[in-house]
Amino acid sequence: MSLETLEQDILAQVSAASDEAAIEAVRVAALGKKGAISERMKSLGSMSPDERREAGAALNLLKDRVSEALGVRKAALQEAALEVRLAGEKIDVTLPVRPQGTGTVHPVSQVWEEVVQVFGDLGFAVAEGPHIEDDFHNFDALNIPPEHPARQEHDTFFFNEKPDGARMLLRTHTSPVQIRTMLASKPPVRIIAPGRTFRCDSDMTHTPMFNQIEGLMLDETTTLANLKWVLTEFCKAFFEVDDVKMRFRASHFPFTEPSMEVDINYAREGGQLKIGQGDKWLEILGSGMVHPNVIRAGGMDPDKVQGWAFGMGLDRIAMLKYGIPDLRAFFEADLRWLRHYGFRALQVPTLAGGLS
Ligand code: PHE
């Protein structure tokens, strides 16, 4: 085959190629290792120097023209493919919003907002702290010294040791935010701190990541009576019931003295939980008067400042309020579950407009 015929042949294939894969096949057949042009290049070796110079130059020119044609065709095909894609993915942004959008708000986010609403109404501000904490804020300052048995109970996730021997950790509770808040402010303090917490624990009722809400109120006169009232008001508003009985059970936490766990009453009716009815009890939080050592670690004077703190399981009260049986489902990102238990977006919970 003459070079001329070969060129016409290849260029015809180039124009006939209808997509990027086809153009690549043409390129390989012409310029690839075993391609028609490459094979001819190989035959140059057996020619006399004069012949080789002439044939070599002709082949190089052919190669350039073919490469150029391939490039042009490829660019055109890519552009055409993009046009098709753009046309297919066109969205008319002036269309009205679909009546029922498919995205929903996760129950944990919903309950988080609800809690912030209720406590906001009671005059509490929202405080935050880091998920990655140090020993001081998560333990020491909370009156949990290195040898304290409570450290074992916390199933802590530790990071690798730093050169100085210190180990960072994933906070095991939201209580370190108590310390951070105290160190950054002056009494009176009235905050809640909702957020993620982490413990190396996993079964029906425990997940390695879960959410808590810390509450902290400090001034010169705050007592357990205030705690009782605040928690009662919170439960009534949050569970949207007229009354709820609360049981304060003596307990122990290193960072509070005295300490109490708090239960609320409920009844089970036809497989449904009714909060505020019946005579069964469910634990929802731990609480107590802030320990003098903790107030001191927070840079305040325990002879002048006193108050209470509580820590409540956010996922747990979400399960109770919305009748969600399995904690693990919260974090499985199962779309069917989210559609079932999710909340309409943009429907912000407010006390006036209704929480849920
Ligand atoms: N931090 C405790 C826990 O995670 C809860 C708690 C907070 C108890 C504040 C008392 C006061 O178990």
Side-chain angles (χ1 to χ4, degrees), residues 173 175 178 199 212 214 253 255-256 286-287 309-311:
H173 49 179
S175 300
Q178 286 188 33
R199 287 186 204 181
Q212 284 192 336
E214 197 77 8
F253 300 102
F255 29 89
T256 46
S287 65
F310 67 82

Side-chain angles (χ1 to χ4, degrees), residues 138 142 144 154 172-176 178 197 199 210 212-216 251-261 283 285-290 308-313:
N138 198 80
L142 289 164
I144 316 178
H154 276 233
T172 57
H173 49 179
T174 43
S175 300
Q178 286 188 33
T197 50
R199 287 186 204 181
F210 57 106
Q212 284 192 336
I213 312 155
E214 197 77 8
L216 177 66
S251 181
H252 176 265
F253 300 102
F255 29 89
T256 46
E257 181 60 37
S259 304
M260 294 103 50
E261 280 172 318
E283 182 195 324
L285 59 90
S287 65
M289 292 300 284
V290 181
W308 45 253
F310 67 82
M312 181 160 58

Side-chain angles (χ1 to χ4, degrees), residues 38-335:
S38 314
E39 289 297 337
R40 294 207 180 206
M41 288 280 190
K42 286 180 201 157
S43 67
L44 291 175
S46 57
M47 294 179 185
S48 73
D50 280 350
E51 274 178 333
R52 189 184 307 143
R53 200 174 308 120
E54 202 181 318
L59 270 175
N60 275 330
L61 286 173
L62 169 62
K63 201 173 155 182
D64 289 348
R65 287 195 295 274
V66 167
S67 298
E68 160 92 26
L70 282 165
V72 169
R73 183 77 187 137
K74 186 171 173 183
L77 286 171
Q78 280 174 335
E79 197 168 321
L82 182 64
E83 286 299 327
V84 170
R85 210 178 129 196
L86 286 177
E89 291 177 3
K90 196 167 81 180
I91 297 173
D92 183 351
V93 293
T94 64
L95 284 175
V97 175
R98 277 186 223 153
Q100 66 283 70
T102 44
T104 57
V105 174
H106 194 286
V108 168
S109 307
Q110 169 78 16
V111 163
W112 182 311
E113 275 305 315
E114 292 179 17
V115 171
V116 169
Q117 280 294 322
V118 178
F119 278 101
D121 192 58
L122 291 169
F124 286 73
V126 172
E128 289 183 312
H131 295 163
I132 298 175
E133 266 295 5
D134 52 29
D135 229 84
F136 173 75
H137 291 92
N138 198 80
F139 292 124
D140 285 333
L142 289 164
N143 201 30
I144 316 178
E147 299 320 315
H148 198 288
R151 288 211 178 200
Q152 266 74 58
E153 286 160 31
H154 276 233
D155 299 312
T156 314
F157 287 113
F158 286 103
F159 289 83
N160 292 335
E161 268 183 26
K162 295 197 275 196
D164 66 0
R167 276 190 307 182
M168 299 300 279
L169 49 86
L170 290 176
R171 69 177 181 193
T172 57
H173 49 179
T174 43
S175 300
V177 184
Q178 286 188 33
I179 305 298
R180 291 185 177 276
T181 305
M182 282 188 250
L183 288 172
S185 51
K186 289 197 191 84
V189 172
R190 216 174 340 174
I191 56 112
I192 56 163
R196 294 182 176 214
T197 50
F198 308 84
R199 287 186 204 181
C200 188
D201 199 356
S202 185
D203 58 37
M204 263 283 278
T205 51
H206 297 90
T207 51
M209 192 284 293
F210 57 106
N211 294 281
Q212 284 192 336
I213 312 155
E214 197 77 8
L216 177 66
M217 176 156 174
L218 293 169
D219 55 28
E220 283 160 22
T221 54
T222 289
T223 66
L224 285 181
N226 304 119
L227 173 68
K228 220 174 151 180
W229 184 83
V230 165
L231 289 178
T232 309
E233 288 306 303
F234 165 75
C235 283
K236 286 196 295 191
F238 176 76
F239 290 109
E240 298 173 276
V241 292
D242 293 333
D243 201 15
V244 54
K245 277 188 245 156
M246 307 191 91
R247 187 166 74 171
F248 289 72
R249 263 184 302 107
S251 181
H252 176 265
F253 300 102
F255 29 89
T256 46
E257 181 60 37
S259 304
M260 294 103 50
E261 280 172 318
V262 176
D263 305 334
I264 54 174
N265 73 319
Y266 76 100
R268 198 182 285 278
E269 263 174 38
Q272 269 203 317
L273 287 189
K274 300 261 186 225
I275 305 291
Q277 300 177 23
D279 52 10
K280 292 197 163 70
W281 297 101
L282 264 171
E283 182 195 324
I284 57 163
L285 59 90
S287 65
M289 292 300 284
V290 181
H291 196 289
N293 289 350
V294 175
I295 296 182
R296 216 170 280 124
M300 295 180 184
D301 180 355
D303 290 329
K304 294 198 183 112
V305 174
Q306 64 176 46
W308 45 253
F310 67 82
M312 181 160 58
L314 189 79
D315 315 303
R316 195 178 165 80
I317 60 168
M319 291 169 76
L320 292 179
K321 179 163 178 181
Y322 293 113
I324 301 171
D326 188 346
L327 174 68
R328 291 172 296 193
F330 274 121
F331 311 112
E332 276 169 358
D334 180 335
L335 209 50

